[in-house]
Amino acid sequence: MTYSTNPIQDRNQIFSIRIAIPNKGRISIPIRELIEQSGLGIFDNGERTLIARTRDPHVEILYARPIDIPEYVASGVADLGITGHDMVIERSSHVTELLDLGFGNASVVLAVPDDSALKTPKDLEGKRVSTEFPAITRKYFKKIGVIPKIIPVGGACEATPSLGISDAIVDLASSGTTLRQNHLQVIDTVLDTSTFLIANPLSCTSKKEKIDEIHLALESVINAKGKCYLMMNVKRTSVDTIRTIIPGMGGPTIMEVASSSDIVAVHAVVDEEKVYQLINRLKQAGAKDILVMNIERLIR
Ligand SMILES: Nc1ncnc2c1ncn2[C@@H]1O[C@H](COP(=O)(O)OP(=O)(O)OP(=O)(O)O)[C@@H](O)[C@H]1O
Ligand SMILES: O=P(O)(O)OC[C@H]1O[C@H](OP(=O)(O)OP(=O)(O)O)[C@H](O)[C@@H]1O
Ligand SMILES: [Mg+2]
């Protein structure tokens, strides 16, 4: 490899892929854990650095605010990003959503005070709606033909009706606790969201190989969630019964046991939530030495 004297160019040559991830907030820890579990790893010494290295010398992490990540990815500042689908929609960013990571599930909802006279979205004509999602809110009301006064806020949106700042809010809810605590009720769901791996469309072509590699690594962790690996010894004559009990991926794997000709080893990937019941049924069918193991990654 030849190195230029331009440090920025050098950096771009060395780090062929940059992934933007949230620097804080409720999805930042699950995202860090996912990257760790995928084997890529993050090396930032726990310091609040802007950029961190990974185990792959060609991949680096850029910490950013969740709302800025779609634009960083769309503009090519980062090739990949991990953030909420709501953020992508709010910024109308031209990015490719590669993979739903299955966490950070929430809804952007329209809510009014419990005792409000406003009961339906149509009642909000000319009323004040505060939100951290002005673009999503504008689009939503345009679609239903209602024109409210939109008040953008930077946080604590649920407090604005009781402060007399707004008549309704458009904000995120998942458990609904924050809405309840603020005596608000949902009158419509505007958008469902979860955390996504997003990509710059040009990078998807020009850096396809590396992006596919990272995509696969993250997906393998998601695939393994809620699954476990069962191993047991079974009499050869009971294999057909065991086969009917285990709904494994593509059926269980049956292997010879060197020390015994009438015993075989049965291995299968099963849903974690089914293991408790499966074990009893397998025991009844004569399975012995049953091992249940966690699966870290599952590549399909
Ligand atoms: N209650 C929730 N349940 C599930 N996911 C959520 C919830 N709140 C937020 N998220 C997801 O996490 C993303 C980031 O939200 P979070 O509140 O952590 O950061 P933020 O408020 O944007 O950060 P900042 O402090 O920079 O404003 C949201 O865009 C959404 O996708
Ligand atoms: O339905 P719930 O489970 O109560 O979650 C909803 C809350 O979660 C998010 O805020 P967060 O806690 O991330 O804090 P923030 O307002 O500082 O972003 C969101 O803005 C809501 O306020
Ligand atoms: Mg927030």
Side-chain angles (χ1 to χ4, degrees):
M1 185 192 273
T2 53
Y3 291 93
S4 80
T5 50
N6 179 338
I8 294 172
Q9 216 172 328
D10 278 349
R11 193 170 185 90
N12 287 340
Q13 278 175 3
I14 297 164
F15 293 101
S16 53
I17 294 277
R18 185 179 288 158
I19 312 174
I21 70 168
N23 54 355
K24 60 187 179 77
R26 64 165 73 204
I27 55 172
S28 70
I29 291 173
I31 290 170
R32 282 188 71 102
E33 284 172 358
L34 173 69
I35 295 174
E36 290 295 347
Q37 287 160 5
S38 75
L40 193 56
I42 303 182
F43 300 102
D44 61 5
N45 305 322
E47 290 164 16
R48 293 177 64 90
T49 48
L50 188 66
I51 302 254
R53 287 173 181 268
T54 67
R55 212 162 263 127
D56 184 333
H58 302 292
V59 179
E60 69 175 7
I61 302 290
L62 168 69
Y63 292 111
R65 286 190 62 203
I67 189 66
D68 294 331
I69 291 175
E71 222 25 61
Y72 285 177
V73 173
S75 65
V77 166
D79 303 288
L80 291 172
I82 304 181
T83 191
H85 172 67
D86 51 340
M87 300 283 145
V88 175
I89 300 297
E90 177 61 20
R91 285 291 155 104
S92 300
S93 302
H94 184 49
V95 296
T96 308
E97 291 191 319
L98 291 180
L99 177 66
D100 185 346
L101 299 171
F103 55 84
N105 295 71
S107 298
V108 177
V109 297
L110 171 62
V112 294
D114 290 337
D115 57 3
S116 174
L118 309 167
K119 301 288 180 207
T120 74
K122 298 265 181 199
D123 296 340
L124 287 158
E125 181 67 41
K127 303 292 179 192
R128 299 161 306 166
V129 180
S130 60
T131 183
E132 288 182 49
F133 299 93
I136 289 174
T137 305
R138 218 164 275 131
K139 214 183 285 173
Y140 164 79
F141 280 111
K142 191 170 178 205
K143 201 170 154 198
I144 61 167
V146 172
I147 308 175
K149 182 176 176 347
I150 294 168
I151 304 168
V153 293
C157 190
E158 292 92 343
T160 57
S162 63
L163 293 172
I165 296 167
S166 67
D167 304 299
I169 66 161
V170 170
D171 199 8
L172 279 167
S174 50
S175 69
T177 309
T178 316
L179 291 177
R180 273 193 300 278
Q181 280 169 349
N182 288 280
H183 310 290
L184 297 166
Q185 57 173 315
V186 175
I187 58 168
D188 202 7
T189 298
V190 176
L191 177 83
D192 290 323
T193 182
S194 57
T195 308
F196 269 76
L197 172 68
I198 59 174
N200 175 282
L202 281 179
S203 302
C204 277
T205 313
S206 61
K207 301 179 181 180
K208 183 176 184 327
E209 209 173 304
K210 203 78 194 158
I211 286 182
D212 283 352
E213 189 182 301
I214 295 165
H215 183 171
L216 183 76
L218 298 178
E219 192 173 39
S220 68
V221 178
I222 307 297
N223 289 343
K225 288 229 165 85
K227 302 273 180 207
C228 60
Y229 197 67
L230 270 186
M231 289 165 68
M232 72 209 78
N233 289 332
V234 168
K235 279 211 179 100
R236 198 179 288 277
T237 50
S238 308
V239 165
D240 285 345
T241 318
I242 297 286
R243 238 194 257 276
T244 63
I245 297 172
I246 301 179
M249 287 188 347
T253 307
I254 318 283
M255 281 169 285
E256 297 294 329
V257 173
S259 57
S260 168
S261 60
D262 55 339
I263 301 280
V264 289
V266 177
H267 293 195
V269 176
V270 298
D271 290 339
E272 209 166 41
E273 59 185 25
K274 294 190 180 137
V275 165
Y276 180 80
Q277 283 180 335
L278 272 180
I279 285 179
N280 289 326
R281 293 180 63 203
L282 290 167
K283 285 287 282 177
Q284 280 161 14
K288 285 208 159 62
D289 309 325
I290 304 173
L291 292 181
V292 183
M293 286 178 292
N294 287 328
I295 301 176
E296 281 183 19
R297 296 177 58 188
L298 178 56
I299 295 127
R300 292 210 161 98

